[in-house]
Amino acid sequence: MQTQPQQSLQGKHIAVLMTDGVEQVEYTEPRRFLEAHGAQVTLLAPKPRGADVQGFNHLQPAERFAVEMDVRGAASTGFDALVLPGGVANPDQLRLSREALDFIRAFAHENKPIAAICHGPWPLIDAGVAQGKQLTSWPSLHQDLTNAGAEWRDEEVVVDGKLVTSRKPDDIPAFNQALLQELV
């Protein structure tokens, strides 16, 4: 007999914004966790609904995931939080999408939780969200985030206001718990 998680996210709608090159586990594990707690999760990308996003396990192509909503027509008002998975190519491409950056900016403006892991904090720079924030990321982003005015910390998870960041896949359990705390 399965038991229900003690903290319910029933009625919460979470956006996951990503595109090709996403680190698969940084999408699948938080999604699985959020759904197990009762949240509705929607995969958004700067691609049409039904198009595929190519996941990766490090440098190896992995599963493909169907886009559930095109970010170009999405509004942050329909969501309670935003998750930004990493992978190198995924956030690098999101940085070039005006609509993706506008979507991220809207969550920050509305003071809604934004959770970014690994290379996921990269688009926060271009969205103007990193400046003045304490956060963490994959170590290669340290200098970029510092140059953008963030205070970078080498910790499993860093929470600054409604911004939750983690360094790598090994940090996913702490990342998930910190996001849960922001949502309950």
Side-chain angles (χ1 to χ4, degrees), residues 6 25 97:
Q6 290 186 330
V25 70
S97 167

Side-chain angles (χ1 to χ4, degrees), residues 119-181:
H119 288 77
W122 229 353
L124 298 176
I125 295 169
D126 297 85
V129 176
Q131 186 172 4
K133 295 291 186 182
Q134 294 181 40
L135 44 77
T136 193
S137 66
W138 183 253
S140 65
L141 273 64
H142 175 185
Q143 195 62 54
D144 292 344
L145 291 163
T146 300
N147 289 344
E151 181 184 327
W152 190 86
R153 297 184 356 210
D154 185 13
E155 296 176 20
E156 182 176 57
V157 66
V158 175
V159 179
D160 186 340
K162 295 289 184 181
L163 184 60
V164 175
T165 54
S166 283
R167 302 170 300 189
K168 57 189 175 183
D170 289 346
D171 298 337
I172 290 173
F175 177 76
N176 287 342
Q177 287 301 318
L179 178 56
L180 177 64
Q181 291 310 306

